[in-house]
Amino acid sequence: MSEKTFGIIKPDAVGKGYTGEILSMIEKNGFRIAGLKKVRLSKEKAEGFYFVHRERPFFNSLTDFMSEGPIVVMVLEKENAIADWRKLMGATNPADADEGTIRKTFAENIERNAVHGSDSPESAGIEIPYFFNQLELV
Ligand code: UDP
Ligand code: MG
């Protein structure tokens, strides 16, 4: 049975022109792109998205980064999409990420790490409607 997850191409990767290469890796790895758009987060919208991390020391810097420029938000669909997208992304810190992962290939550091992915069905269920309405998922 197919599953949906939520992903972001973050401002570092969009700014450096990696959007096309990342979308290509996503499609080559068997994901169907059910929703896709380019948006710019306000600081407030970035804070809302990362609300679970509000007590972490990196929260202010992270939300500055996520609102510094455009991002590409996506809904990705395949069997086991949540776990498989996390695997294709690679570890949070690109220094620890496996060869061939998006973060190993494109990320600058633990904060500017190219992509986001939902970590559970619960997160996907909150993150998808944070950006997409039903008409935008096809
Ligand atoms: N982050 C950071 N410093 C850290 C850990 C995380 O700047 O020490 C940033 C990084 O951009 C990461 C995001 O905060 O992607 C959310 O952290 P999380 O632990 O949820 O990592 P992810 O699920 O994105 O791998
Ligand atoms: Mg996370």
Side-chain angles (χ1 to χ4, degrees):
M1 222 194 67
S2 94
E3 179 179 69
K4 285 192 178 79
T5 192
F6 174 74
I8 301 178
I9 306 175
K10 293 185 178 183
D12 57 324
V14 173
K16 287 189 284 189
Y18 296 145
T19 300
E21 281 176 82
I22 291 171
L23 289 174
S24 175
M25 285 171 80
I26 288 168
E27 292 195 314
K28 282 185 182 132
N29 279 273
F31 294 87
R32 204 182 69 77
I33 299 173
L36 185 70
K37 59 187 170 185
K38 190 172 187 179
V39 299
R40 169 97 188 244
L41 291 179
S42 63
K43 174 80 168 169
E44 293 68 31
K45 184 113 177 165
E47 288 169 350
F49 182 73
Y50 279 117
F51 190 69
V52 293
H53 291 315
R54 65 194 177 283
E55 306 294 347
R56 308 284 286 277
F58 55 81
F59 182 71
N60 188 49
S61 175
L62 172 63
T63 53
D64 276 347
F65 160 53
M66 289 300 291
S67 56
E68 78 178 26
I71 61 174
V72 173
V73 292
M74 336 174 256
V75 175
L76 306 178
E77 188 174 349
K78 78 188 284 295
E79 213 175 279
N80 217 14
I82 294 170
D84 286 359
W85 172 229
R86 297 283 309 187
K87 194 171 173 197
L88 179 59
M89 285 165 51
T92 306
N93 187 346
D96 302 329
D98 290 339
E99 279 309 321
T101 62
I102 292 173
R103 282 168 165 169
K104 182 72 174 188
T105 310
F106 299 111
E108 287 174 31
N109 56 46
I110 193 169
E111 176 174 275
R112 304 175 69 82
N113 61 0
V115 282
H116 165 85
S118 304
D119 61 8
S120 64
E122 293 70 35
S123 309
I126 294 167
E127 293 174 357
I128 292 170
Y130 198 76
F131 289 97
F132 291 94
N133 66 46
Q134 275 305 325
L135 282 174
E136 295 172 312
L137 299 178
V138 292

